Amino acid sequence: MGKVINIQPITRIEGHAKVAIHLNEEGNVSDTFLHVQALRGFEKFCEGRPVEEMPRIVCHICGICPWAHHLASSKAGDACLGVTVPSAAIKLRRLMQMIAYVGDKLLNFYFLAAPDFVIGPDSDYSVRNVVGIIGAAPDIAKKVVHLRHLTAQILEEFAGRAIHPTFSMPGGVSKPMTEKERKKILVSADELLEFSKFTIGFAKENVFPKYLDAIKSIGVIKVGHIGTVTDDGALDFYDGKLRLMKPDGSFDDFAYDEYLDNIGEHVEPWSYQKFPFAKKWADKPVLDLDNPAGIYRSNCLARINVCDKMATPAAQAELEEFRESFGRPAHLTLLYHYARLIELVQCAESMVQLLHDPEITSPDIRVKVEPKAGRGVGCVEAPRGTLIHDYETDDNGLIKKANIIVGTTHNNAAMNLSVKKTATELIKDGTYDQGILNKVEMAIRAYDP
Amino acid sequence: MAVTVAEEWLNSCSGCEISILNTGDALLDLLPELNFVHIPVLIDHKYFGQTGEKDVMEIPEAVVGIVSGSVRNDEHKHVLEEMRKKTKILIALGSCAAYGGVPSQANMFTNEDIFEKVFRGCPSTDSAPDPDHPNVPKWLDNCKALDEVVKVDITIPGCPPHPELIADAITALLKGETSWSLPERSVCDTCPVIREKKSAGGPVKRCFENLEFNPEEGLDKMRCINEQGFLCLGTVTLAGCAGTAGVPRCVQARTPCRGCFGPIRKGARPMVDMMGAMTSIGLDPKTVVDRRAIMNRYIGGHGNLRPLPARPTRP
């Protein structure tokens, strides 16, 4: 038996994982595993909790996308209790989501991903990080730190908390927005929109062209895609229908509460993270590089593949340019970084649009709810992909059952495939170095797990 | 000379790390003073060497060690023990590290029940045996705070801790201090709402409706949340969530406190104290729905939460 190369921990991602690359006696890759070591058991310990408390419990699943969990949970609660949420409350939920996502996408691009591209994938690890970025591009870095802070400040000043929010609940949100608050936030929002447009321009000019070879080679796989679209096919982060696209670009649309007919989760003994798969394509996910089956991806690249169009004008122009170069669906894994910036533009534009909507300052933001037995599937697009919260309540409005599929989990099989692909191509005859192993990690980082 | 820092996250959500990044401009001032030798969220230092060539886990020595997250499995325990060995001043960052945090709600259930649910009881999951592999760490008997495993020097509580507190604690260490703590004040001590020391009485209201307030007016014109009849844990919760100034974060959102900064002092019994406080304003604490879980939401470590024995079946 040959040796095993362990990469642990996987770094500049937002979770806990290790990669094991198994080599045969000739020193070539025989198999690879992305082992996810974290398990907390939310599905169990949410049982018995009051449904109106859930949005402020499950946000703790992720400190990077707490708003996604917060809102998916609120929507599941709305559905369990059978309430119609006032339109202004939905707009405020959407607005908070967009502000949080702008901050998140800036964080991912500049702090987590950029070191590989700006400092270089083969450079020494001691400089291939955010401190290196500050050294290499101090003015931009200062601006990023400032603007990320600004998104957190807006959320805190208006909604109390940037991380682990309490603002949204079944039936609506906890407070309306005053005209004074709206005006103040709008000033910051305009600044964030301008910087978002700058960021994608900067990346297209200075970052992506240099690494076109890497983009065309690292972790490339051809699998399906999932995302949320509106009835007219536009990408939406808060509500719509799910679209599951096959690798050839054909697709099926279905309502959130039909997810069990379309998505299954497989368990492997070597990872705590489950492996969601498209039930109608295969009986289980097949992690075979030549013949993958049942596997689809989530997160930004998947979303911009499944949507017919972006929801806002500048983002739509970016999508058209992207599709001219890379087609639909685009399969190159590192294009996740490009897709994320197209989404950044939509989030920033939507944020500004919502702030110009006269209804955003309506005082009609919560309906009183009554406890009752029911079931509700709440779904939003989290930064990392389609997020599903499925609750069942008893007569007293306490959770009887909870099933949760988080965005990153959808990508588990695809990330494993991308790792296998990258390692197999780059490690030959037992030869590898830290730069090669970092490229294996870049195949994971693209998915921003 | 910059101070060396090693950072790790265990059973965590990354919120504490995002809070570090949310220090904003203060971050840029602090960064040159800090020499991060290990921090998985930002820097690619590996446990077993950069090409995985070593057999033993190694975290570089550092003056300051920061650990977020609770201790859930044997690998967390191993990493935490290595951090303790390699760092002079160990900081527990956030309420998971300090008290167990929200993931320690799991302590109300047995590990068997949790695994049964996750791997064989979810409608989308193809029923399967529990994962069992050398690279999948085994769970400990429960979810623990850091000081249940190693000695902790400084605790920065909060879910997440406010960025200003993180900057404040680190600045103190840079000045040569070896300890840092928050003053023993309650959230109520920093909350500007109107208090009349009585409520309308009756059962405690659930958050099925919003608080009564005028959005055009500040919190100083809003009636205390407990006195409005809802459960708010401000009375028994350590102040600090809004940083060095400002009003409590959840109250700013016009929602009640759920105790994310933990008890005001070590050894306090927040659940008992809270029930007393409610009684004193005419609320019946026995009517709080899901009382044990809600009052221990962030503090389920230290044996505060454990599985209840099965209820005897009534004849």
Side-chain angles (χ1 to χ4, degrees):
Chain A
M1 217 178 102
K3 70 190 264 186
V4 178
I5 308 168
N6 287 310
I7 312 178
Q8 187 184 11
I10 304 301
T11 43
R12 284 185 283 127
I13 64 166
E14 292 141 8
H16 299 70
K18 71 180 280 186
V19 162
I21 302 168
H22 295 241
L23 303 184
N24 61 22
E25 278 171 15
E26 289 77 46
N28 294 316
V29 174
S30 59
D31 211 346
T32 63
F33 299 91
L34 172 65
H35 301 283
V36 174
Q37 300 142 304
L39 173 70
R40 286 169 296 169
F42 272 83
E43 283 100 337
K44 184 66 189 178
F45 68 70
C46 285
E47 287 178 1
R49 309 290 76 77
V51 66
E52 74 279 12
E53 293 287 326
M54 287 292 279
R56 53 184 303 179
I57 297 175
V58 294
C59 55
H60 298 273
I61 290 173
C62 178
I64 294 168
C65 60
W67 281 91
H69 288 279
H70 188 59
L71 297 180
S73 178
S74 300
K75 287 176 71 181
D78 297 337
C80 283
L81 304 180
V83 287
T84 306
V85 178
S87 150
I90 290 174
K91 286 176 180 167
L92 283 170
R93 285 179 180 177
R94 282 179 177 273
L95 175 60
M96 296 301 112
Q97 184 187 26
M98 292 300 96
I99 296 167
Y101 286 16
V102 166
D104 175 75
K105 287 175 196 299
L106 291 176
L107 165 76
N108 182 275
F109 181 71
Y110 287 105
F111 289 0
L112 305 183
D116 288 325
F117 298 101
V118 176
I119 312 292
D122 299 305
S123 55
D124 189 75
Y125 83 88
S126 60
V127 292
R128 192 179 58 213
N129 54 55
V130 65
V131 181
I133 293 283
I134 294 172
D139 293 340
I140 295 179
K142 272 183 197 160
K143 187 120 204 204
V144 176
V145 168
H146 172 71
L147 289 176
R148 270 209 72 264
H149 189 213
L150 189 61
T151 60
Q153 272 180 325
I154 301 171
L155 293 169
E156 255 184 43
E157 273 178 34
F158 174 67
R161 303 168 64 104
I163 304 171
H164 302 326
T166 61
F167 175 65
S168 177
M169 284 166 278
V173 296
S174 64
K175 61 178 275 203
M177 181 173 281
T178 63
E179 177 58 18
K180 198 174 147 199
E181 286 168 326
R182 185 192 75 84
K183 277 194 182 136
K184 188 176 174 201
I185 297 172
L186 188 56
V187 175
S188 306
D190 284 333
E191 194 183 350
L192 287 162
L193 173 58
E194 193 190 325
F195 189 71
S196 299
K197 289 177 177 169
F198 161 81
T199 296
I200 193 166
F202 174 80
K204 283 192 301 188
E205 198 172 313
N206 300 298
V207 180
F208 300 143
K210 272 196 275 180
Y211 290 98
L212 214 53
D213 285 346
I215 290 172
K216 285 182 177 160
S217 66
I218 291 180
V220 178
I221 55 170
K222 205 172 170 183
V223 295
H225 302 276
I226 196 169
T228 299
V229 293
T230 58
D231 281 339
D232 64 350
L235 190 160
D236 200 289
F237 293 96
Y238 180 79
D239 205 26
K241 57 187 174 180
L242 286 175
R243 176 168 288 175
L244 193 50
M245 178 179 265
K246 286 188 171 160
D248 65 8
S250 62
F251 55 78
D252 280 320
D253 293 350
F254 54 93
Y256 294 146
D257 54 13
E258 294 166 346
Y259 83 97
L260 287 173
D261 300 331
N262 291 279
I263 298 170
E265 291 185 282
H266 177 72
V267 179
E268 289 285 353
W270 44 269
S271 185
Y272 277 139
Q273 188 165 49
K274 297 173 189 176
F275 295 77
F277 64 100
K279 265 175 154 171
K280 291 179 179 168
W281 307 349
D283 297 331
K284 64 172 204 170
V286 179
L287 296 167
D288 178 341
L289 269 189
D290 299 320
N291 291 299
I295 300 175
Y296 62 87
R297 314 204 247 204
S298 65
N299 197 333
C300 49
L301 182 64
R303 284 189 289 254
I304 70 152
N305 276 330
V306 302
C307 74
D308 300 322
K309 59 182 180 190
M310 303 302 283
T312 54
Q316 172 61 16
E318 294 294 347
L319 178 68
E320 284 167 21
E321 188 184 329
F322 176 91
R323 281 191 176 160
E324 241 169 64
S325 301
F326 302 104
R328 178 192 185 196
H331 291 290
L332 304 177
T333 300
L334 292 196
L335 288 178
Y336 265 100
H337 296 297
Y338 191 160
R340 197 165 289 119
L341 298 183
I342 300 175
E343 287 195 339
L344 167 67
V345 175
Q346 174 165 327
C347 291
E349 285 183 291
S350 297
M351 172 178 74
V352 172
Q353 278 179 0
L354 283 159
L355 283 162
H356 282 293
D357 188 322
E359 208 184 1
I360 203 78
T361 49
S362 162
D364 181 17
I365 45 98
R366 180 102 195 261
V367 290
K368 190 175 175 184
V369 298
E370 299 288 342
K372 66 179 212 179
R375 182 182 162 217
V377 180
C379 185
V380 300
E381 287 296 326
R384 283 144 207 89
T386 304
L387 170 63
I388 302 167
H389 281 246
D390 177 0
Y391 304 157
E392 218 179 296
T393 48
D394 66 13
D395 293 336
N396 197 20
L398 304 183
I399 299 294
K400 269 172 78 180
K401 281 181 188 167
N403 190 39
I404 301 167
I405 306 180
V406 306
T408 282
T409 304
H410 295 284
N411 275 331
N412 195 8
M415 285 190 290
N416 266 283
L417 267 192
S418 284
V419 163
K420 194 173 290 188
K421 173 92 177 186
T422 313
T424 306
E425 283 178 359
L426 296 181
I427 300 173
K428 296 285 181 202
D429 307 323
T431 306
Y432 59 91
D433 57 24
Q434 69 92 20
I436 284 178
L437 298 186
N438 184 49
K439 283 176 186 150
V440 173
E441 285 192 76
M442 282 171 69
I444 301 169
R445 261 173 227 136
Y447 295 87
D448 183 25
Chain B
M1 256 284 279
V3 169
T4 47
V5 183
E7 202 267 358
E8 263 291 350
W9 45 9
L10 307 177
N11 193 44
S12 68
C13 72
S14 330
C16 290
E17 284 69 21
I18 300 300
S19 208
I20 295 177
L21 298 176
N22 283 356
T23 40
D25 298 339
L27 180 70
L28 291 170
D29 296 337
L30 280 175
L31 268 182
E33 310 277 329
L34 306 175
N35 175 14
F36 280 101
V37 293
H38 178 84
I39 172 168
V41 71
L42 294 179
I43 293 182
D44 299 340
H45 176 264
K46 307 296 177 190
Y47 295 146
F48 299 98
Q50 294 310 105
T51 51
E53 68 280 7
K54 294 177 187 164
D55 296 326
V56 181
M57 173 189 288
E58 213 174 276
I59 291 173
E61 287 190 355
V63 173
V64 177
I66 304 175
V67 178
S68 72
S70 48
V71 190
R72 177 71 269 187
N73 63 42
D74 55 13
E75 188 171 277
H76 295 148
K77 185 165 176 280
H78 187 163
V79 170
L80 176 59
E81 286 166 346
E82 174 72 2
M83 283 289 286
R84 179 68 273 185
K85 255 187 249 166
K86 295 297 178 67
T87 60
K88 288 203 175 73
I89 302 169
L90 187 69
I91 301 177
L93 181 66
S95 289
C96 291
Y99 318 113
V102 167
S104 63
Q105 294 266 298
N107 290 350
M108 290 186 289
F109 302 88
T110 65
N111 289 357
E112 291 72 27
D113 282 349
I114 293 169
F115 278 76
E116 183 64 31
K117 168 74 187 179
V118 172
F119 295 107
R120 289 172 294 283
C122 289
S124 48
T125 301
D126 292 341
S127 190
D130 296 341
D132 183 14
H133 187 276
N135 282 332
V136 177
K138 292 261 180 290
W139 267 27
L140 304 178
D141 53 352
N142 60 19
C143 178
K144 299 173 201 297
L146 302 191
D147 66 0
E148 295 181 71
V149 179
V150 298
K151 179 176 169 282
V152 168
D153 302 304
I154 290 176
T155 298
I156 309 178
C159 190
H162 196 281
E164 285 171 13
L165 300 185
I166 301 173
D168 193 53
I170 290 176
T171 307
L173 293 180
L174 288 172
K175 284 182 188 154
E177 316 254 340
T178 51
S179 66
W180 179 92
S181 64
L182 284 168
E184 289 184 357
R185 291 191 305 163
S186 77
V187 167
C188 292
D189 292 337
T190 63
C191 186
V193 296
I194 301 164
R195 259 161 278 186
E196 294 173 7
K197 297 193 175 163
K198 58 176 190 285
S199 73
V204 176
K205 287 192 242 176
R206 290 167 67 179
C207 294
F208 289 143
E209 59 194 302
N210 281 350
L211 305 179
E212 266 186 45
F213 63 95
N214 178 349
E216 301 289 344
E217 293 177 341
L219 287 174
D220 56 340
K221 303 278 191 255
M222 183 175 89
R223 182 84 184 270
C224 163
I225 298 174
N226 278 324
E227 292 179 12
Q228 289 196 35
F230 296 89
L231 174 72
C232 176
L233 292 175
T235 313
V236 295
T237 301
L238 183 66
C241 64
T244 45
V247 296
R249 289 188 290 200
C250 291
V251 185
Q252 171 71 11
R254 312 277 178 164
T255 56
C257 169
R258 287 289 179 260
C260 88
F261 264 61
I264 298 164
R265 62 187 68 83
K266 239 189 169 157
R269 301 177 67 198
M271 190 156 160
V272 176
D273 295 345
M274 189 65 221
M275 289 171 70
M278 295 178 85
T279 309
S280 77
I281 58 165
L283 288 173
D284 179 0
K286 289 200 187 69
T287 60
V288 174
V289 173
D290 199 28
R291 189 173 66 216
R292 187 171 72 115
I294 221 167
M295 291 193 180
N296 289 289
R297 182 170 292 169
Y298 294 89
I299 55 172
H302 297 124
N304 284 335
L305 286 175
R306 53 186 73 190
L308 288 180
R311 278 186 196 173
T313 44
R314 284 182 189 161

